[in-house]
């Protein structure tokens, strides 16, 4: 968790997820490459428990780190 902000019944969380692609990921075979991506979550609490949860993930950067999609630098050449 990089940041967490709460106000009233809402909580916003910014995280960094890291790992290495060693297993099947959807239709993509393992690449052995490492990744680091940003994720954002927004929660609504009710009676001290999570009632709703929304999330955003930088899938484009994730795929680029894994070599599944070309990087911006490769595209702009």
């Amino acid at each position: 968790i990089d940041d967490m902000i709460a106000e009233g019944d809402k909580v916003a969380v910014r995280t960094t997820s890291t790992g290495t692609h060693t297993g099947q990921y959807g239709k993509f075979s393992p690449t052995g490459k490492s990744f680091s991506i940003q994720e954002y979550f927004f929660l609504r609490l009710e009676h001290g428990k999570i009632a709703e949860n929304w999330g955003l993930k930088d899938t484009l950067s994730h795929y680029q780190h894994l070599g599944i999609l070309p990087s911006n630098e490769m595209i702009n050449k």
Side-chain angles (χ1 to χ4, degrees):
I1 296 176
D2 300 313
D3 292 300
M4 184 181 296
I5 301 168
E7 184 175 321
D9 65 346
K10 304 280 186 342
V11 179
V13 182
R14 182 177 66 90
T15 66
T16 302
S17 294
T18 59
T20 303
H21 183 205
T22 59
Q24 192 72 23
Y25 182 65
K27 64 181 181 177
F28 304 108
S29 297
T31 62
K33 294 186 178 184
S34 297
F35 64 90
S36 176
I37 59 167
Q38 294 287 305
E39 296 178 291
Y40 306 87
F41 299 96
F42 303 92
L43 314 169
R44 185 180 65 79
L45 305 177
E46 195 173 282
H47 307 294
K49 295 184 179 184
I50 297 172
E52 294 181 86
N53 175 26
W54 304 272
L56 299 168
K57 173 178 150 180
D58 186 357
T59 304
L60 176 59
S61 291
H62 189 184
Y63 284 3
Q64 288 174 332
H65 283 207
L66 299 179
I68 295 168
L69 293 177
S71 67
N72 291 337
E73 292 79 21
M74 293 174 70
I75 292 170
N76 292 326
K77 282 187 176 184

